[in-house]
Amino acid sequence: MNSLNSTSTLETHLETQTVIYPTLQYLVRFLPWDGKRVFDHLREESKHNPFIIENSDFHNSEALLDDIKPNWYNPIAQELSLSEHLLGQISALSIPSKQRQALTYLTQWLSNSGYLEETPEIWADGSIWSPKELEAVVPILQTLDPPGIGTRSLRECLLVQLKDQPESLAFLLIKNYLEDIPNCIGNTSEAKHNCQLLLQKLHQNHQNIDIDKITDAIHEIQELEPRPPETSVVVMLTSSPLI
C-alpha cells in the first residue's frame, strides 16, 4: 500500500476596505438639511434615544458613540463663508448658464444679515443685467440654504421660512399682524391685554382661534431666524485616510 504525502499551502491575503462608520453614516443624513431641521430632528430623537442628551440650550448635546469611532477619525472643521456656501449651491443648480451668472452676481448685494439690499435698478446699474433679469432670479436665491436668505424685509424672511406651512396660524400672524406680535410676548398684564386685542382682530375672520393657539404660534415664530446666516454652521469635514 502506497502512502501519499500531500503538502498544503496556506496563503494570507491582506486587503484594505473603506468603511463608513455608523457615526459618520448618521451625520451624512444631515448634510442636505438646514440648521432648524437638524435641531428639530435631534430634539425629537432625544425623547426616544438614550444616547442623545438634551440640555436646556441643546448646544451641548452629544451622541455617546465614541466606542464605535475609529482612532484615526479626527475631523477638522473648517467654517465656510456665507458667500462660499451660496456659490457652492448655485453651481449645483440645474438652471441656464445666464441665470446662474445673474444669481452669482446678485449675491454681492447680500448684507451680513442675509438680506438683499438696495433695489433692482441699483443692482443693475453698471452691470450687463437689466433690473428685470436680476429680479427674476431672486426667488431662486430664496430657495437656497440658509432659509430666509435673499429676502428684503423681516416679514418676507420669516414667511419664506414657513413657506411649507402657508395655512398655519404662525404664517397668518407674520403676514398680517407682525407688528402686533412683540406686544404679546411675556407674562405681564399688558402683554396679556395685547394678546386679547390681537385675538379680537383674528376673530373677525377666524373664529376657531383662542389664546393658547396664539401663544403656540408666537413660540413657533420665535424659533425662526431673523438673520438667516445664523441658522446653520457651515463646515467641511476632513479626516485622515485609511492605511
Side-chain angles (χ1 to χ4, degrees), residues 14-19 21 70-74 239-243:
L14 182 62
E15 295 183 356
T16 300
Q17 293 183 339
T18 301
V19 178
Y21 281 77
N71 293 330
W72 54 262
Y73 184 72
N74 186 22
S239 61
S240 305
L242 281 169
I243 299 176

Side-chain angles (χ1 to χ4, degrees), residues 185-205:
I185 297 175
N187 293 319
T188 65
S189 57
E190 182 180 2
K192 294 178 181 178
H193 175 68
N194 290 331
C195 206
Q196 286 290 345
L197 294 178
L198 177 57
L199 180 62
Q200 292 175 18
K201 293 180 182 180
L202 289 167
H203 274 174
Q204 295 176 10
N205 298 302

Side-chain angles (χ1 to χ4, degrees), residues 142-162:
Q142 293 177 355
T143 66
L144 303 181
D145 179 78
I149 196 72
T151 51
R152 286 162 284 188
S153 67
L154 175 61
R155 175 178 277 107
E156 186 181 22
C157 177
L158 300 177
L159 288 176
V160 165
Q161 293 178 61
L162 289 177

Side-chain angles (χ1 to χ4, degrees), residues 36 113-115 142 146-166 168-182 185 217-228 231:
K36 184 177 184 300
S113 296
Y115 289 91
Q142 293 177 355
I149 196 72
T151 51
R152 286 162 284 188
S153 67
L154 175 61
R155 175 178 277 107
E156 186 181 22
C157 177
L158 300 177
L159 288 176
V160 165
Q161 293 178 61
L162 289 177
K163 63 183 178 181
D164 295 330
Q165 306 174 48
S168 68
L169 179 54
F171 191 97
L172 175 65
L173 290 179
I174 294 170
K175 183 178 181 180
N176 298 326
Y177 305 98
L178 183 61
E179 294 77 12
D180 295 317
I181 294 174
I185 297 175
I218 290 177
H219 286 163
E220 183 178 355
I221 293 170
Q222 288 178 302
E223 291 183 353
L224 302 178
E225 179 53 64
R227 296 170 295 278
T231 60

